Amino acid sequence: MSDNEIIMSSIQTNFGTIKFYTQNMKVKDLVYVHYVAVRGKDEEEGAVQRVLSKQRINSIKDFVLKGNMFVSTFILNWTDEKKKPYFNNSNITIPIISSAAQVIDGQHRIAGLQEAMKEDDSVGEKEVIVSLCIGLTTKEAASIFLNINSQQKPVPKSLIFDLYGIVEDNEDHSITRAKDIAIELNDNISSPYYKCIKFPGMPRGAGIIDLSTVVSSLRKSLEPDGVFSNYKLKDLNLQKQVILNYLTAIKYFYEEEGMWANKAKNPFLQNAGFFGAIDSLTSEFILKCANKKSFTVETFKQLLSLNNTDLLYQRDIKNLDGKTARARVREFLETYLKQTLPEQDEYEFE
């Protein structure tokens, strides 16, 4: 054994035609050999992972620093072509090479362990269970990822389209994706619409915004040639974050006046207000944010600048038909954008 490889007992198993090698590894070795290939961002075989959540990483770091460790396995796909692990007589030899194996399952746990190691070196000496595959294709990696996430714990249904978009299309994708976003808006405690979406079968009086309104307002923009895709916002997590940040920015201005939770005054707590807000997002604000290369809450707040104008009340759209009410909401949200447009004589034509 050379200084840059480790030998340990291993168990070989099969997932269909894919071979798995499962063994214990020290955390420091796992952290050293791993890397994350993000689908839609990294163009390489096996890229199935999602964008990392800093909040989840910090939570995992705190969990580990309290003396806890994971009993569930980490799954890696070895991609380094020059030097590969090899299995012999119930032992596996693994080269300790930086960024040689992409993560299929466990990216947040590894990132949390990595952060914990920065504060406590002893974390690196602890052992975890690692299942290693060698040279998987993207389809093979996706099939493993889906098996883990769709069979063992619930994930958004449209995540399957993100993974398998390379091999199949589905005409219901945008509807399914819009439903997943509606679930996020309703279930995420940080969402301005937490417990506000009315799903079929709910008791009378539960929810405020109809699921059909959320789906109808988002469906077109989530299609393969829709505005999200046109601005390279194809991943479910990115789409959810853009929508949440935008709605959070609107909520900020109403909350300052103590109005957000007031169903009798807040126009965004009714279907027309929500639909009009999404209309503005997809027709104006995504473009403006893309130009700034920023979709943060602060960027949306700067673009909206609703503190520079009188807030819109529910009474202002109460007696309008749905289409006219949505247009009135759009006009209100885009007031500051129009105020900042150059005058006619400020444009150059030659």
Side-chain angles (χ1 to χ4, degrees):
M1 182 182 73
S2 67
D3 293 338
N4 61 344
E5 64 183 21
I6 54 176
I7 299 176
M8 65 208 76
S9 297
S10 180
I11 299 173
Q12 178 182 325
T13 55
N14 295 324
F15 174 72
T17 59
I18 301 170
K19 288 183 172 62
F20 279 84
Y21 303 97
T22 302
Q23 55 280 317
N24 289 349
M25 284 183 69
K26 288 187 176 181
V27 169
K28 65 180 182 182
D29 293 330
L30 170 63
V31 167
Y32 190 71
V33 302
H34 96 287
Y35 71 94
V36 175
V38 179
R39 63 175 183 273
K41 179 179 178 182
D42 299 305
E43 300 298 329
E44 66 169 272
E45 286 294 309
V48 298
Q49 284 299 342
R50 293 164 283 184
V51 178
L52 289 166
S53 163
K54 291 182 180 179
Q55 182 178 0
R56 189 173 173 194
I57 292 170
N58 288 331
S59 175
I60 291 170
K61 179 193 74 171
D62 293 340
F63 172 80
V64 172
L65 290 176
K66 290 177 181 177
N68 300 298
M69 192 44 67
F70 304 102
V71 296
S72 55
T73 187
F74 295 80
I75 301 180
L76 303 182
N77 173 31
W78 192 275
T79 59
D80 190 281
E81 293 287 338
K82 295 180 180 178
K83 206 165 186 181
K84 299 180 180 180
Y86 57 92
F87 183 83
N88 185 39
N89 295 327
S90 299
N91 287 330
I92 191 168
T93 301
I94 301 178
I96 303 302
I97 301 171
S98 176
S99 303
Q102 65 183 198
V103 182
I104 296 178
D105 188 61
Q107 62 164 343
H108 281 96
R109 285 177 288 153
I110 294 176
L113 288 166
Q114 194 167 12
E115 291 302 309
M117 284 173 55
K118 294 176 182 179
E119 298 186 23
D120 183 353
D121 290 340
S122 69
V123 172
E125 298 299 324
K126 296 182 179 181
E127 292 190 339
V128 291
I129 304 170
V130 176
S131 291
L132 187 65
C133 308
I134 301 174
L136 299 179
T137 65
T138 298
K139 186 175 180 180
E140 289 172 331
S143 67
I144 295 171
F145 182 89
L146 285 172
N147 177 271
I148 294 165
N149 289 285
S150 63
Q151 299 302 319
Q152 298 181 26
K153 56 185 178 182
V155 295
K157 185 179 178 182
S158 68
L159 185 58
I160 295 172
F161 297 108
D162 279 348
L163 296 178
Y164 276 107
I166 56 170
V167 293
E168 65 175 331
D169 294 317
N170 189 298
E171 60 184 11
D172 294 330
H173 166 60
S174 62
I175 297 175
T176 305
R177 176 57 54 89
K179 288 179 180 176
D180 286 337
I181 291 171
I183 292 170
E184 176 72 11
L185 290 174
N186 188 71
D187 294 352
N188 186 336
I189 196 169
S190 300
S191 165
Y193 289 90
Y194 178 61
K195 300 301 180 186
C196 286
I197 309 301
K198 188 185 299 182
F199 291 88
M202 291 180 67
R204 187 170 182 174
I208 302 171
I209 308 300
D210 293 328
L211 173 63
S212 59
T213 294
V214 180
V215 172
S216 297
S217 64
L218 287 169
R219 180 181 175 182
K220 286 291 184 183
S221 62
L222 294 170
E223 290 179 350
D225 59 350
V227 66
F228 282 96
S229 182
N230 289 342
Y231 288 99
K232 300 183 179 180
L233 298 167
K234 299 179 181 181
D235 184 89
L236 171 62
N237 284 344
L238 295 180
Q239 292 168 352
K240 288 193 299 189
Q241 199 60 59
V242 167
I243 293 166
L244 280 170
N245 287 355
Y246 169 68
L247 295 173
T248 298
I250 295 174
K251 177 184 176 182
Y252 167 81
F253 295 104
Y254 276 79
E255 215 164 38
E256 276 199 322
E257 301 298 322
M259 277 180 52
W260 182 259
N262 191 326
K263 297 179 185 179
K265 293 184 178 180
N266 184 357
F268 297 101
L269 292 184
Q270 66 177 72
N271 289 322
F274 182 91
F275 209 127
I278 297 301
D279 274 352
S280 277
L281 171 65
T282 55
S283 63
E284 294 290 341
F285 287 99
I286 285 182
L287 167 62
K288 299 294 183 181
C289 286
N291 288 339
K292 290 178 174 287
K293 298 182 179 179
S294 172
F295 290 90
T296 66
V297 174
E298 286 303 314
T299 297
F300 279 119
K301 282 161 64 174
Q302 291 168 12
L303 291 171
L304 287 162
S305 290
L306 299 183
N307 52 3
N308 294 335
T309 186
D310 293 331
L311 293 181
L312 186 73
Y313 285 77
Q314 196 168 128
R315 63 171 181 261
D316 297 323
I317 61 173
K318 184 176 181 180
N319 296 318
L320 303 177
D321 64 83
K323 185 176 181 180
T324 306
R326 295 198 297 269
R328 179 69 185 89
V329 171
R330 277 196 57 179
E331 180 184 3
F332 163 69
L333 291 173
E334 296 165 20
T335 298
Y336 184 70
L337 293 182
K338 292 176 180 177
Q339 289 175 350
T340 57
L341 284 174
E343 295 296 329
Q344 177 176 292
D345 58 4
E346 295 181 85
Y347 289 115
E348 291 185 1
F349 295 95
E350 293 183 3

